[in-house]
Each structure stands twice: as C-alpha cells, then as structure tokens.
Amino acid sequence: MSAHVIPLENLRNTDVGSVGGKNASLGEMISQLNAKGVRVPTGFATTAHAFREFLAHNKLDEKIANELKTLNTDDTTALAISGKKIRQWIVDTPFPSDLEKSIEENYTRLIKNSADGTTFAVRSSATAEDLPDASFAGQQESFLNIHGVEHIKHAIKEVFASLYNDRAISYRVHKGFVHADVAISAGVQQMVRSDIGCSGVMFTIDTESGFKDVVFITASYGLGETVVQGAVNPDEFYVFKPLLKEGKPAIVRRSIGSKKIKMVFSDATQAGKSTHTIDVDPKESDSFSLNDQDILELAQYAVTIESHYGCPMDIEWGRNGLDGKIYILQARPETVKSQSKNAVEVFKLKGTGKAIVAGRAVTQKIGVGPVRIVKDPSEMHSVQPGDVLVADMTDPNWEPVMKRASALVTNRGGRTCHAAIIARELGIPAIVGSVNATELLQEGDIVTVCCSEGETGFVFQGALEYEVNTEKETVLSTPPVKIMMNVGNPDMAFTFAQTPNDGVGLARLEFVINNMIGIHPKAILNYSAMPQDIQKQIAHRARGYANPKQFYIDKVAEGVATIAAAFYPKPVIVRTSDFKSNEYKKLVGGDIYEPDEENPMIGFRGAARYMSEDFKECFVMECQAMKKVRETLGLTNVEIMIPFVRTLEEAKEVTSIMAANGLKRGENGLRLIMMCEVPSNAILAEAFLEYFDGFSIGSNDLTQLTLGTDRDSGILADGFDERNDAVKALIQMAIIAAKKTKKYIGICGQGPSDHPDFAEWLVKEGISSMSLNPDTVISTWKRISQK
C-alpha cells in the first residue's frame, strides 16, 4: 500500500502489514462492528510504507542497521546506549514533504469531524505487533491528550522512535524477528474523556486458567494507562458469557481495588507532558468504578468483538465522563492462555512456612530465589538469573531483566497490567498489587513465591518444597459411576473445571465465608451495635456494597456463582455452612456470639443451628444468596445440600425455612440433597428421603460417629477408617434406600480420595456418584474404569 496516511474507517484486518495490528483492528471494528453497537473513536494511521520512506530518505535505515548488527541485547548497558542513540536520530530527522503534507491534511479533516475541545491519542502499531504468535503488548509508546498539528507531528516522530526502545529491540531478538522486517504505524485517534470517567482492560478469557466462558474486566478511575502500566490496583469483575447471552445479569464475581491514583489531562500539549496523575478521593476509592449496567454493557461488547474475530481477545476500553458512554479503544487477540499447549504443568506446594506478603497471583506456578529489590529502573542490571525481582511496579522496559527472574513481586498493579502480561508470556510466577512488598521483604533473603493456589499469591519465608506434575490431555474411558469433584475455593474453580468431571458433588460455603467475608454473620446483622473496632473492620470489608448485610449475601452468592459458572451446566451441589462453634469463633465478631463447647464436632452445627432462633436469620441470608444465584443470575445447575441433620424434625423444619425464603424443593428445578453423615440418617434413610431428593454420604463424620472416634484426634488416628465394616454397613443401608426410592446417592467424603479400594467397593455397592478431591480425580477415574 503506497499511501502515507489512511483514515481508520478505511482500514480492515487485512491491512496489518501496512498499519500494524492495532490500527488495522481499529479500522475493522469501526467499519464492521459499529452497526452492532460497538463504539470505537475514529482517527487516521500512518503506514509502514511511510515509515520506511522516512527511514530511507536520508539513509537512516543503514545507520540503524549498522548500530544493531553487533549489539548484544543481554548487555543492558550497551543496549541502553544504542537504543538512545537511534531514538535521537529518528526524532532529529525531518519528515519527507509528502508524508508531512498527508499528516496535516488528515488532521485537519479529523478536527472538522470532531467535537469542540477533542484531543487525540497518538499510539504505536508495529506491523508485527499484536499478532497471535507475537504479543508485543506495550512495546511502543502512547501519547495522550495531544492537540495542534505540530504537537501531533512531534508525537508521531516519538512513536517512530519507540520502535527502538530498549525493550522493543530486546523483544525482537528474543522472539526471532529481524529488525528491518518490522515497521511501525502511528495511529491518531479521538480521545475519550475517561480522565473524568473510568477505563480499563478486559479479556474474553480468564487470564490465569484459560477458562473461556467468562469476560474478565478490570477498571479504575481516569485514563487507562494506570491500569495498563500497573500503577493502580483496579476493580475486577467476571461476567459469565452463556447466561449473558440469555439476557441474565450474569456478573458472577467482583473484587474492589484500592484505586489510589488516576491519570488525568494536564494543560500542557507536548507529548510526554500532556497528562499527570492525581490522588483519588477516598470515597471514590472505596466505591466500585463501574455499576452493573456498565459491566454488562462492556461484557456484551467483548462477546461481540470475540465473535467477530473468532478468538479470545484482549480489549482496552474507556467510559466518557461527559456523556457516560463506553467506547472501545483497542482490541487484539489474547496471546498466552488461548495458545497454551495440551500438556499443563501443575505446581503444588508441599512445604509450609511463614507468609510475608500477599497479592494478586499471576501465572499458576511457584518460584524460589533470593530477593532482589529494585527501587529504580537504573538498578535493573543488579537482577541475576534466579532472583525474585521485587519492585514498586514495572513496565515493559523491564522485560529484558524480568526473563532472568524466578518470580516477580510488585507493590502495585492488577492482573491485566503490563507486568502481569509479560510475566504470563515469560511463564514466571508473579504477585502484583501486594501494597508493601518492597518494605516487608529483605534484600538477599531466600523466599518462595507461590501463585498456584488461587487468586491470592503468597511470598513465604525460605525455600519451600514443591512439586511439578505434567498433566497431558488424555482420552478417558467412561467410568461406571459419575465422577464429581469437591471444590472449596472459588479461586481455583476455573482451573479445576478443566479436569474431566461430571460436576461438583460438594462445594463448601465455609471457604467463601471464611476467606471472602471473614466476619461472623451475626456481627453483620448487628453491625450498628458492634464495638467501634469491629464496625471499622466490617465497613472496610463491605466497601463498595450497599450495606454490610448486602455485602454478606452478595459475597456468598459470588463465591457460589463462580463455582457454578465454572462447571455449568453440570450440577453443582452446594453445602450450606457447616462451621462448628470453635470455627465460627475465629471470624471477626465470632467470640461475641459463639458458645464455648467441650466437643463442637457434635455440638451447635448443621440443621440444629439453622433452626435455632439465635441463628435462623443468619441462615436466611445464605438462602437469599442461593436464591440470587439460581434465579437472578440464572445458574440453575446449583443444587443445595443441608449438613448434619440429626432428626426427622430437623429435616422438616429446615426445608420449611428454605421454602419460606424462595428455595422450595422442585420449584425452578431445585433439588435438595441431604448429607448422610449421622448414623440416624442411614437407619431411617427412607424417612429422611421424603424431605430430600437424595443423599450425599459424608464418610468423615459418619465414620467418627459410628466408631465413636474423634476424627481430629491424633491419638486415635490409626483407628479412623471409612472401610470399617460397621461404617460400610450403614453406607449400604443408605444406598439401598436411595435405590428403592429412585433418588440420588453419592459420596463426598474423604474416603474415596484416600482409598482406591474403598472407591472400588462403592462402585460395586451401586453408588451413583463419587465426589473426589481434584488431585485424585484422574487416578481414581482410571482405576475404577479398568474394573
């Protein structure tokens, strides 16, 4: 293509070679997706032909080639000297007259078609950038809030020079690109006033697990550069695509970020000085930056864009603070998780240690090494192979040294910032948004960075033992019973769901309440009567939600919805809370409300707790959360299981309370399951099953209550065995009753996971399903399928 400048609306995806992936994609969306409601600001792009002509017209290309011919990119000092020299050459070189004239004409046309006061972003688009096999994310520069033709021309020159940033030179060598084969296009695009609104990044895939049925959105106040650069800890949202397409408000999860600063326009117009950062008002920081309507609109845009491109996408967006409308600013193929190979490395921590730092986990791996704190980019050369790189934040300039590190830890940033993207691409574990890692970690100390156990990553003191297993996709034969999974941690649900399974046989609410809420439900209900220190803790955790009670209901719903979405449409059996009094006591405010029991294992727990006047209102909050998941969000694959039902009277009363709170058995397809874990449940199995749609055998409690053996006792551990004949006899009774009444009968206790022979016995006895710990699913599946 011989043109020097092309309006964005005249471009299509087929023009990547001329204007780069970024600008070609903008043209594709403007011309093809506007009719589908996707708003994309227009502009123009310089071409690769124009760039090459610029380099050739005074033989600058030859000077650059000679400079790079013998450069060793691993020598960071030499790299910095050569890069600076080349960039200065480019800035000092005048445009050819034809190119300069084309830029001026297109800018004049753009101004005429823009609202008064519109300013422009000048961004890079390398012709090998954003291709599925080469993520150049953030390799070149962006200049925001630029206006006036002279400033536009200067910014374009800076974009051209950015093709020779240190990181870009190193990246091309690392990826095997020939420098002369890569040209650059400058895109000039109308700016959205997100400086007085908000902005962020979204992916049409979960960035950590690769789960493809969610849109993952990050958002913060001001211009999106703070999110991309990792300068803020943004809000995060997950939207479940299948139910979004059915018109459901399918926001399954949200996490509030600190959002301490925001980038806004400044009065200066010169590239590099036209924006600055300011502090965010604390009230804004403590509120979500997007409302539900905005989140769902963004997710709809994401699904539309993904459908058009036919692959998972990485999308930048902004909400205009003037008109409140949302605009798409960039879209490119996601290049890490969507291309991961069939073989998956699974990291598992075996040792235990003191956790020093926590933050958002990136890349589900574990790294060990000495701490190397880098407070300024000029100190980057100090990072040695195998170091744990610790910094306030990083940007793509750090890429040459990041690949030396065994792990990365930053104070700031979210899971869509450049540091996170590059860490994923390099395959190193990273913790972002830790707040104070540079203060808490000590230079030279050996630490273990663990990102393999969910959304939260931890830095542990010392070198902890861990193992790495390689799991390859294999074809499994059909097992004789359904193989389900025990899932407690919603953070791991998207990962676990990719293991072959028939659904979730046990999703525990305890993890959700303990880790996502952390407050005793009665302290929530009695918030105004709590001591000031507890009120302060509750208010902090509940920030962003309407009130503490709504926070509790919504957080329970989010935890359940995350698991239900991960396994949808397979059944997910959610057990309502089964804390004992000593466990509830550990929650904030718990010591105010919980009794001191000699043996809490057989004390105030399960159905008896739900029925009591002292706790019933707390149970009602759980019911409201379950109703929201099933009816509002539409995750009707959720089934509800009641634990520790001692008597028929308890069965009758608890199911009555649930029905009164919108969870009536049979309505909207709701199935109620009962834990079969008290000997009375097996002895009177048929009578209990009149109130429920099936049993799930809890072999841990059933064993301790049958044998009179405290399962927590180390002294009696040798006698605790689910395979005891008395326990088996009760299990047989439960299976026979369920078969007779044609109701569900499964097992979710530890037994089948620990004892393969017990699993084989259960199959012979006619169990319908076995719910196993995730790490034993494949081995048990294979074993019972061979018989």
Side-chain angles (χ1 to χ4, degrees), residues 135-401:
S135 171
F136 276 49
Q139 292 296 325
Q140 281 73 53
E141 301 292 345
S142 295
F143 300 96
L144 309 178
N145 189 30
I146 307 298
H147 54 94
V149 70
E150 293 304 318
H151 293 124
I152 292 287
K153 287 190 291 186
H154 177 75
I156 291 173
K157 198 82 68 72
E158 292 280 5
V159 164
F160 284 3
S162 73
L163 189 64
Y164 295 94
N165 277 339
D166 300 353
R167 63 181 182 265
I169 295 171
S170 173
Y171 191 93
R172 288 195 291 276
V173 171
H174 178 64
K175 285 290 186 180
F177 287 91
V178 177
H179 294 293
D181 289 349
V182 181
I184 195 165
S185 163
V188 177
Q189 186 183 23
Q190 293 169 335
M191 283 213 69
V192 170
R193 291 300 306 269
S194 53
D195 63 309
I196 52 174
C198 62
S199 54
V201 180
M202 60 182 172
F203 287 81
T204 62
I205 191 172
D206 177 44
T207 53
E208 300 312 313
S209 67
F211 182 68
K212 294 183 178 180
D213 277 345
V214 287
V215 177
F216 173 49
I217 301 168
T218 59
S220 192
Y221 299 113
L223 300 172
E225 301 304 296
T226 55
V227 176
V228 173
Q229 293 169 0
V232 294
N233 301 335
D235 298 332
E236 296 181 353
F237 309 93
Y238 285 95
V239 181
F240 186 48
K241 294 179 197 171
L243 294 181
L244 177 72
K245 291 174 182 177
E246 294 180 15
K248 296 288 186 180
I251 305 165
V252 296
R253 188 141 188 201
R254 68 192 80 213
S255 301
I256 194 163
S258 55
K259 309 182 297 296
K260 296 292 187 185
I261 60 171
K262 62 180 176 180
M263 182 179 285
V264 297
F265 288 177
S266 67
D267 294 333
T269 56
Q270 186 179 346
K273 297 181 180 179
S274 54
T275 61
H276 65 286
T277 57
I278 60 174
D279 292 338
V280 173
D281 183 280
K283 288 184 179 178
E284 278 194 305
S285 294
D286 288 344
S287 302
F288 284 109
S289 51
L290 290 173
N291 60 36
D292 286 6
Q293 183 179 343
D294 292 332
I295 296 164
L296 295 171
E297 183 178 350
L298 275 168
Q300 289 284 8
Y301 285 172
V303 169
T304 300
I305 294 167
E306 180 182 52
S307 176
H308 180 76
Y309 283 81
C311 64
M313 299 295 289
D314 168 357
I315 302 163
E316 292 182 28
W317 60 271
R319 189 185 69 193
N320 193 321
L322 296 176
D323 61 16
K325 292 180 180 178
I326 291 171
Y327 296 82
I328 300 301
L329 308 178
Q330 289 185 37
R332 53 185 165 258
E334 193 278 341
T335 56
V336 180
K337 279 298 176 182
S338 56
Q339 294 184 53
S340 58
K341 307 303 180 188
N342 288 346
V344 177
E345 286 186 327
V346 178
F347 286 68
K348 186 175 183 180
L349 197 63
K350 297 177 72 177
T352 57
K354 179 185 177 183
I356 313 169
V357 166
R360 291 286 195 214
V362 174
T363 310
Q364 294 175 342
K365 292 186 177 182
I366 296 172
V368 176
V371 170
R372 189 70 59 217
I373 299 173
V374 179
K375 294 183 178 178
D376 186 87
S378 64
E379 303 170 359
M380 282 194 291
H381 64 276
S382 67
V383 179
Q384 301 300 310
D387 283 353
V388 172
L389 172 57
V390 181
D392 179 52
M393 60 180 281
T394 66
D395 61 38
N397 284 314
W398 295 56
E399 188 264 345
V401 297

